[in-house]
Amino acid sequence: SVTGIPWPLPVNSLPEKGWSALPGVGQKRARRIRAGAPFASMEQLLASLDEPSVLEPFDGDLDFSDN
């Protein structure tokens, strides 16, 4: 199956299913990301993760607006 996600990734509104579809994120990390939102910056987002390097490749593709 294929899971479509919006691009750039809307950090503060992307549902858990969208996060878990990203390589290396999985369901547990996706749940932690959603629980910690909203995030104002990449630094805040990475600080919420047990393994920040998982999201570093997406740095230029993240949208931190409130939408």
Side-chain angles (χ1 to χ4, degrees), residues 3-59:
T3 301
I5 53 176
W7 213 262
L9 292 169
V11 172
N12 294 314
S13 63
L14 188 66
E16 186 177 314
K17 186 175 181 177
W19 282 110
S20 65
L22 296 175
V25 175
Q27 192 173 21
K28 288 181 183 179
R29 282 192 186 114
R31 199 171 297 131
R32 281 195 298 268
I33 291 170
R34 288 302 309 143
F39 299 101
S41 66
M42 183 67 168
E43 292 76 23
Q44 283 184 351
L45 175 60
L46 294 178
S48 75
L49 297 174
D50 61 328
E51 194 175 333
S53 61
V54 170
L55 289 184
E56 287 174 350
F58 300 100
D59 189 10

